[in-house]
């Protein structure tokens, strides 16, 4: 098992890695994404699995009859955030193939179909919406909205898919496919330090915090940086800066999270006062009431500061995922199978969270000693990765071989 894991990890590691930052730029429907997809297909075919691409570009590798129903599915994603780490997503896909190898090595006899999947565009790095592949499949993203998605260069999602050799006219809800799934289990590197603090290599997810993305537009007046008096300025950068500080304040007050991690400026000149600053807020909290309080407070702070600065402020919600409570019976079964490992919540979104509305889902976490994620510093120790593969194999054996 460990040999197959390390071989797969070694082969996947260089794909989409930037030589300068050492981070990954595996964006949806790009060359790096195509290379990752080719890697996935090669792994499926090397194991004699039935390979499929669904109508939304998600990849599937099947052991057993895909049409039989009540299948056990595992997997994750292979795309990344800008300059992301090696583990977020790929650890789950590599571990899924390695867990299958482990089960075959044990001589396990499968009584239910098993599938390994790579969901497309989970991070949303290119088109600004997370979990596009699973959202489309689950009917949580309409075809009309999907066709409106564009990247920073103005290329639409359908155009990007077509250029990559896929038919964008086929995208949409995939009810028949999801109806075949009896359980979905996603393994993921932990994006936090709970397991490091508890001393456990593996844990089980209890829930995903509600979270979303909001776009703030701050519209002022472009002018000359060297001739315009301070008191005559309508500078949206000031309003934006104060809003960033307000986000931190409101998040800290409510025990939540709020981050402005992406910003666009027009005309973006060193010697020009901006006419427009556009910032994207990511906010997450333990419950809906707290999240509403945090985002509402940030919006009010932005509007108040905008009036002071003579800046118009508008806010639009671009994506939202409500609280996800993973299927309790499946969650408890995993924890029991693994001998009482920690059960912990997470603030990070995942394809498992999207699918949970229609499919019984659960998640396993592998220890991340620093808690760093979405960064080249993201890490999981070799022994913990192996422990994760064995835990996933144990879980899949209990679900698909009983």
């Amino acid at each position: 098992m460990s040999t197959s894991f390390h071989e797969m990890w070694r082969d996947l590691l260089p794909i989409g890695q930037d030589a300068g930052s050492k981070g990954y730029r595996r964006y949806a429907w790009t060359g790096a994404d195509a290379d990752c997809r080719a890697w996935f297909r090669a792994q499926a075919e090397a194991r004699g699995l039935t390979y499929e691409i669904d109508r939304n570009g998600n990849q599937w590798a099947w052991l057993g009859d895909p049409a039989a129903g009540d299948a056990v599915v595992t997997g994750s994603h292979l795309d990344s955030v800008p300059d992301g780490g090696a583990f977020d997503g790929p650890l789950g896909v590599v571990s899924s193939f390695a867990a299958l190898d482990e089960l075959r090595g044990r001589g396990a006899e499968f009584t239910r179909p098993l599938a390994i999947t790579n969901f497309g565009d989970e991070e949303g790095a290119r088109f600004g919406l997370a979990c596009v592949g699973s959202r489309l499949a689950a009917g949580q993203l309409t075809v009309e909205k999907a066709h409106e998605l564009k990247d920073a260069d103005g290329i639409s999602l359908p155009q990007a898919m077509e250029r990559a050799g896929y038919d964008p006219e086929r995208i949409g809800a995939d009810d028949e496919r999801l109806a075949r799934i009896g359980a979905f289990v996603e393994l993921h590197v932990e994006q936090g330090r709970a397991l490091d603090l508890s001393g456990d290599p593996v844990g089980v997810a209890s829930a995903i915090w509600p979270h979303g993305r909001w776009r703030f537009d701050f519209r002022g007046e472009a002018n000359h940086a060297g001739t315009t008096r301070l008191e005559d300025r309508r500078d949206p950068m000031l309003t934006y800066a104060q809003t960033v500080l307000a986000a931190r304040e409101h998040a800290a007050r409510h025990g939540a999270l709020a981050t402005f991690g992406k910003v666009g400026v027009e005309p973006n000149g060193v010697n020009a006062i901006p006419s427009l600053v556009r910032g994207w807020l990511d906010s997450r909290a333990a419950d809906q009431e707290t999240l509403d309080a945090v985002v509402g407070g940030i919006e009010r702070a932005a509007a108040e500061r905008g009036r002071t600065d003579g800046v118009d402020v508008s806010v639009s919600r671009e994506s939202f995922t409500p609280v996800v409570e993973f299927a309790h019976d499946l969650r408890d079964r995993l924890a029991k199978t693994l001998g009482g490992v920690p059960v912990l919540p997470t603030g990070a979104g995942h394809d498992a969270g999207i699918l949970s509305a229609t499919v019984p889902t659960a998640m396993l976490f592998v220890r991340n000693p620093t808690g760093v994620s979405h960064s080249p510093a993201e890490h999981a120790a070799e022994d913990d990765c192996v422990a994760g593969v064995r835990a996933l194999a144990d879980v899949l054996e209990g679900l698909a071989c009983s």
Side-chain angles (χ1 to χ4, degrees), residues 213-218 243 260 279 281 295-296 298-300 302-303 312-318:
R213 298 178 183 183
W214 290 260
R215 193 186 79 199
F216 284 63
D217 288 347
F218 304 89
T243 304
F260 277 97
L281 169 71
V295 176
I298 297 169
E299 290 181 358
R300 288 190 295 274
D312 296 326
V313 179
S314 62
V315 182
S316 58
R317 190 177 77 180
E318 292 195 337

Side-chain angles (χ1 to χ4, degrees), residues 238-373:
L238 292 177
T239 316
Y240 168 71
Q242 290 297 323
T243 304
V244 173
L245 296 175
R248 176 58 180 262
E249 176 187 342
H250 283 276
R253 183 185 306 167
H254 292 279
L257 300 168
T259 307
F260 277 97
K262 179 181 177 181
V263 61
V265 182
E266 297 178 10
N268 205 25
V270 174
N271 60 348
I273 300 165
S275 60
L276 169 68
V277 175
R278 178 168 287 151
W280 281 263
L281 169 71
D282 178 298
S283 190
R284 306 160 191 249
D287 56 71
Q288 187 64 54
E289 183 179 0
T290 303
L291 182 61
D292 291 342
V294 171
V295 176
I298 297 169
E299 290 181 358
R300 288 190 295 274
E304 182 177 342
R305 180 68 193 199
R307 287 190 288 270
T308 300
D309 297 332
V311 170
D312 296 326
V313 179
S314 62
V315 182
S316 58
R317 190 177 77 180
E318 292 195 337
S319 68
F320 178 73
T321 302
V323 63
V324 172
E325 284 279 349
F326 288 113
H328 289 193
D329 55 344
L330 183 59
R331 177 199 67 193
D332 295 344
R333 183 173 179 177
L334 265 61
K336 183 178 180 180
T337 297
L338 300 179
V341 298
V343 178
L344 56 148
T346 178
H350 300 281
D351 292 311
I354 299 298
L355 297 182
S356 67
T358 51
V359 173
T361 60
M363 290 192 72
L364 298 179
F365 291 131
V366 172
R367 177 166 50 192
N368 179 345
T370 66
V372 174
S373 187

Side-chain angles (χ1 to χ4, degrees), residues 40-49 97 101 104:
F40 182 95
R41 180 171 186 170
Q43 299 304 321
E45 293 177 345
R47 290 165 173 79
L49 305 179
F97 283 116
D101 294 343
R104 282 174 160 172

Side-chain angles (χ1 to χ4, degrees), residues 1-42:
M1 175 273 297
S2 60
T3 301
S4 73
F5 177 89
H6 295 307
E7 287 176 351
M8 285 187 285
W9 194 255
R10 178 199 62 207
D11 292 342
L12 185 61
L13 205 59
I15 300 176
Q17 187 175 34
D18 182 73
S21 70
K22 303 302 181 184
Y24 289 86
R25 300 177 181 180
R26 297 166 172 164
Y27 307 146
W29 309 113
T30 63
D33 184 51
D35 289 343
C36 287
R37 289 170 173 272
W39 173 91
F40 182 95
R41 180 171 186 170

Side-chain angles (χ1 to χ4, degrees), residues 95-108:
S95 296
S96 296
F97 283 116
L100 173 58
D101 294 343
E102 167 79 3
L103 290 175
R104 282 174 160 172
R106 296 178 186 177

